[in-house]
Amino acid sequence: FFQKVLTAVQNWFSLFGWSKGPNPISIPYSLRRDVCKVQMTSSPEKVFKQNLGKDTKTIYDMLLHLSGQLLPGITSSQSLSFDPTERVLQLYWQHSALLTFLKSQGACLPYVMPEFLLEPDDYKKWITVQTLLKVVCVCFDVFSDMHLFMLEENVFETMSKRAWTDVLLQVYKVLVLPRISSHNISDLFDSEGMQSMPRIKSEPLSSNIYSPHERIILTWLNKHYEKNRKIVWKDCQKGEVPPMRWVVNFDRDLLDGLVLAAQLAAYCPYLIATHFVRMYTTPRTPEQYLHNCLILVDAMRAVGLAIDIKV
């Protein structure tokens, strides 16, 4: 299940997380690696800056695109020191700034520590620095409440992958979902035949599962399904017009593909004759569910929605 979530997050941010078209990412590897555009390097004669390429896209470029603002204290051409200790301390500060910014926007990341977002070698260096700091505190009899939490290499990789996935999920929650507008929400049920349907409340405290923005999406799904089910499947080859339903979640109510097909048909009605008339309108077996989902994915590909959705 976790791997499926990671793949979905990776696909979405690769396609839609950047300002100038798709940019493939790999969780956590590319996110940990691409953290600056300029690397400070040294030679026996001098210290100089090495430009890592204008096409290098960092997590900060993504946040700038999605939020419209740079993180406080971080520039678009952020550079890193060549000194290993200074470098890891700077990265730790940058990751702390990232988490602080997301939490200020409403993100929930209680377990994610800045060091979990480092690369393995940087994490080892950070542990070394913290260990030395703790030794110094002990030697000089300085009180310190610092508790060092060290992870084995394989455990760290698992934790880092999980941390980066949750960071991106929270980025989506606080920076992407709030774009959904509710200014037309009262008009969604005004059409004939929609008045009798139960309403999904959009008040913040009316659900402990879905946010108001997610409930707006559920309302949108209900609207298009009820409006289009009699149009899409009036000439269905594998059943009658499907019955009215109340779409209240993003799991069981979408399994048979009919609700999503109704959304797609609302914007691409020409897919009805070529694809959707062949769907089972009252599927009962796993094979019929699979049949419907194959048709739905094929329809998505036909209109260029190549977002790697698995049947």
Side-chain angles (χ1 to χ4, degrees):
F1 171 79
F2 174 69
Q3 185 59 43
K4 289 180 180 179
V5 172
L6 184 149
T7 300
V9 171
Q10 194 166 267
N11 289 344
W12 192 92
F13 279 93
S14 293
L15 290 167
F16 308 114
W18 310 92
S19 61
K20 296 180 180 179
N23 177 52
I25 65 169
S26 175
I27 301 174
Y29 310 108
S30 64
L31 297 174
R32 297 187 309 201
R33 181 189 66 235
D34 299 332
V35 289
C36 69
K37 294 181 182 294
V38 178
Q39 177 74 55
M40 300 293 291
T41 60
S42 65
S43 67
E45 296 82 17
K46 60 180 179 178
V47 176
F48 60 94
K49 291 184 177 180
Q50 177 187 7
N51 196 320
L52 299 181
K54 63 180 180 180
D55 294 330
T56 300
K57 297 181 180 179
T58 69
I59 181 69
Y60 310 111
D61 294 319
M62 175 194 291
L63 292 176
L64 174 61
H65 170 60
L66 295 177
S67 70
Q69 58 183 311
L70 285 168
L71 270 63
I74 295 178
T75 65
S76 58
S77 57
Q78 192 77 11
S79 63
L80 286 176
S81 172
F82 72 89
D83 180 80
T85 300
E86 292 182 5
R87 181 181 184 276
V88 75
L89 290 176
Q90 182 179 341
L91 282 173
Y92 182 86
W93 175 83
Q94 289 183 197
H95 292 327
S96 297
L98 167 65
L99 295 175
T100 300
F101 169 75
L102 292 177
K103 290 174 183 177
S104 72
Q105 302 297 310
C108 183
L109 293 163
Y111 86 93
V112 178
M113 308 301 291
E115 57 266 32
F116 296 161
L117 306 180
L118 296 169
E119 289 204 87
D121 290 342
D122 289 330
Y123 176 73
K124 292 175 184 177
K125 183 64 180 178
W126 183 84
I127 289 293
T128 300
V129 170
Q130 296 304 302
T131 302
L132 289 174
L133 181 61
K134 193 169 185 179
V135 169
V136 169
C137 290
V138 172
C139 290
F140 287 90
D141 198 25
V142 176
F143 174 76
S144 174
D145 60 353
M146 179 180 64
H147 297 284
L148 204 54
F149 187 58
M150 293 180 286
L151 300 175
E152 297 293 333
E153 186 172 352
N154 61 330
V155 177
F156 171 78
E157 275 297 313
T158 300
M159 180 65 78
S160 184
K161 182 180 293 188
R162 181 63 181 267
W164 274 111
T165 302
D166 286 347
V167 164
L168 291 186
L169 282 170
Q170 292 298 309
V171 166
Y172 187 86
K173 171 189 171 183
V174 301
L175 299 182
V176 180
L177 275 181
R179 297 179 184 179
I180 297 171
S181 172
S182 61
H183 69 278
N184 288 327
I185 197 70
S186 59
D187 301 331
L188 292 180
F189 287 86
D190 289 345
S191 59
E192 184 179 354
M194 299 289 289
Q195 292 88 345
S196 61
M197 288 195 65
R199 304 296 179 93
I200 295 176
K201 296 181 180 179
S202 59
E203 291 78 10
L205 298 181
S206 63
S207 172
N208 62 353
I209 298 176
Y210 294 132
S211 69
H213 309 292
E214 290 169 309
R215 295 199 294 279
I216 291 172
I217 297 176
L218 288 174
T219 301
W220 174 72
L221 291 172
N222 276 288
K223 173 212 170 183
H224 282 306
Y225 176 76
E226 182 56 29
K227 184 178 179 181
N228 292 312
R229 64 186 178 91
K230 296 179 182 179
I231 300 172
V232 177
W233 291 289
K234 66 177 181 179
D235 298 319
C236 183
Q237 301 170 3
K238 298 182 182 296
E240 304 295 329
V241 171
M244 177 186 291
R245 68 170 68 175
W246 192 26
V247 183
V248 295
N249 64 63
F250 296 104
D251 184 8
R252 298 185 64 86
D253 290 338
L254 305 184
L255 286 177
D256 60 11
L258 296 175
V259 174
L260 293 179
Q263 315 310 308
L264 202 52
Y267 300 97
C268 306
Y270 51 84
L271 291 173
I272 296 174
T274 59
H275 292 76
F276 301 143
V277 294
R278 296 183 284 114
M279 297 178 76
Y280 288 97
T281 54
T282 54
R284 292 185 176 85
T285 67
E287 291 78 13
Q288 291 174 346
Y289 276 75
L290 178 63
H291 171 89
N292 282 1
C293 292
L294 283 166
I295 291 175
L296 178 64
V297 171
D298 188 49
M300 289 181 176
R301 291 172 180 161
V303 295
L305 284 175
I307 52 179
D308 198 30
I309 291 181
K310 299 292 189 296
V311 175

